[in-house]
Amino acid sequence: MTLSEFDRIRQTLDSYLAKAAESRKHLLEAPYDPKLLHAWRVNLRRVTATLKDVATLSDDDLHDVLGYLRASREASGRCRDIDILALETLPAFLDKEQGKLTDADALRKALGDLQQQNHKQALAQLKKHSMATPLQAWSHWVHTLEPPTDGRIRDIAAAAIEKRLTELKKRAGKLDGGQKRLHRLRSATKKLRYSMELYQHAFPKPATTAWLKRLADLQSHLGLAHDRMMARKLIGDVVDGKEAKAQLKAFRRWTKRTAYEASEKAMQSLAKLDLLKAYWRPTAN
């Protein structure tokens, strides 16, 4: 039996919510795992980035569900940033770049202690954010909705993708080397990618695959730039005193340089997006 476009969307969103719920369950039952927290956050973001457009199919805009899921994801944001600093950024500086710190072991220990504090805070927040209510609300919404036609879904998909691309280009044009504007562009890139993923079955596979590949490349560079900028900011929470911070000058210089290099690569990826055909527009067929 061939699934309708709406059924494909429903199944995809169901899977995102189920993966988020499963990640939360394991985080609360087993020792903390950074990968599980990442899975929790990514799957919630996939839903919050796309559900508003899907909700236009009904008078119920699912505003409360979206608000709850966003609050659930944002509650663990700092913990994720600290994990990346401890597990990826600092090791890259010390090992791959042969960076030197006077007392690297003491820094690792202080950072590990900060991780533990944030892990406890993240788990406390997870306990407050049960998935039962949003899952029930989403299930009720789906089963009371009159199934839309495939044509209606394609119209919504095209409008959502066009909106996301416009937003991405607008934010790209406002980049100024600062963390805030970079974060906004990164967010816009994620939203466009997740929208294209959700609706990919409604369009020719080669076209969607090309866009998703380029967006993944762009997101990777923006993510690295963001991580390096955050590391430069967060490292101040790990060490105390002027002397200790002075020892981190090399690390700060390295994070600034590598963030800039990643941003440059992101700009190259953005330029490549302009070479792709806008497959969702009628004139592109």
Side-chain angles (χ1 to χ4, degrees):
M1 179 179 176
T2 302
L3 293 175
S4 68
E5 295 300 341
F6 177 70
D7 284 335
R8 291 179 186 274
I9 289 171
R10 177 186 56 77
Q11 287 188 354
T12 300
L13 290 172
D14 281 347
S15 71
Y16 294 158
L17 289 166
K19 289 175 183 176
E22 188 68 12
S23 297
R24 175 184 179 274
K25 179 175 180 290
H26 287 304
L27 278 164
L28 294 177
E29 293 178 350
Y32 178 88
D33 183 345
K35 292 181 179 179
L36 286 175
L37 184 73
H38 181 56
W40 153 262
R41 289 173 52 77
V42 167
N43 282 292
L44 287 187
R45 182 178 285 280
R46 284 192 171 110
V47 176
T48 58
T50 57
L51 190 56
K52 185 176 180 179
D53 297 315
V54 175
T56 60
L57 291 166
S58 168
D59 291 335
D60 180 0
D61 62 6
L62 295 173
H63 176 77
D64 291 342
V65 173
L66 278 165
Y68 182 87
L69 294 177
R70 285 194 189 99
S72 299
R73 186 192 76 242
E74 291 168 0
S76 57
R78 176 179 167 82
C79 186
R80 175 63 183 163
D81 289 333
I82 293 292
D83 281 339
I84 291 174
L85 171 58
L87 301 175
E88 298 178 19
T89 308
L90 184 61
F93 173 72
L94 293 174
D95 302 331
K96 298 179 183 178
E97 300 295 328
Q98 288 79 49
K100 302 296 183 183
L101 292 175
T102 303
D103 198 345
D105 289 339
L107 178 59
R108 287 193 184 98
K109 183 181 184 306
L111 188 52
D113 291 342
L114 185 61
Q115 271 188 286
Q116 292 300 317
Q117 295 173 18
N118 279 270
H119 293 170
K120 291 179 181 178
Q121 293 171 5
L123 293 176
Q125 289 298 322
L126 283 175
K127 290 178 181 178
K128 297 178 182 178
H129 292 91
S130 169
M131 292 293 292
T133 299
L135 285 171
Q136 290 172 359
W138 163 244
S139 178
H140 176 77
W141 186 89
V142 167
H143 289 99
T144 56
L145 178 72
E146 182 178 348
T149 65
D150 286 355
R152 174 68 172 138
I153 290 295
R154 291 190 186 96
D155 288 343
I156 289 176
I161 292 171
E162 188 70 30
K163 176 183 175 183
R164 299 302 190 195
L165 179 60
T166 299
E167 185 177 1
L168 184 150
K169 289 184 175 181
K170 179 180 178 181
R171 294 186 176 184
K174 293 183 177 181
L175 277 183
D176 58 5
Q179 183 177 348
K180 185 176 181 179
R181 304 252 174 161
L182 177 77
H183 172 74
R184 288 178 175 175
L185 175 58
R186 185 180 177 222
S187 178
T189 301
K190 289 179 181 179
K191 289 178 181 178
L192 176 58
R193 180 183 176 184
Y194 296 155
S195 291
M196 287 185 165
E197 286 177 341
L198 183 64
Y199 302 116
Q200 61 184 306
H201 296 292
F203 300 100
K205 184 175 180 179
T208 57
T209 299
W211 272 86
L212 290 173
K213 182 178 179 180
R214 292 280 173 83
L215 285 171
D217 184 63
L218 172 59
Q219 188 178 336
S220 176
H221 295 313
L222 291 173
L224 180 59
H226 171 269
D227 292 345
R228 297 293 161 83
M229 287 184 178
M230 284 301 300
R232 192 166 186 266
K233 178 180 178 181
L234 290 172
I235 200 70
D237 296 337
V238 183
V239 297
D240 295 317
K242 292 183 179 180
E243 183 178 346
K245 291 183 178 181
Q247 294 174 3
L248 292 173
K249 283 184 178 180
F251 177 76
R252 291 178 183 275
R253 286 196 299 268
W254 174 77
T255 54
K256 184 177 181 180
R257 173 175 60 80
T258 53
Y260 176 81
E261 291 170 351
S263 296
E264 285 289 294
K265 291 179 180 179
M267 293 304 98
Q268 295 171 15
S269 294
L270 273 170
K272 291 178 181 179
L273 282 181
D274 289 333
L275 302 178
L276 297 176
K277 183 178 291 186
Y279 63 84
W280 59 92
R281 297 173 186 163
T283 54
N285 297 328

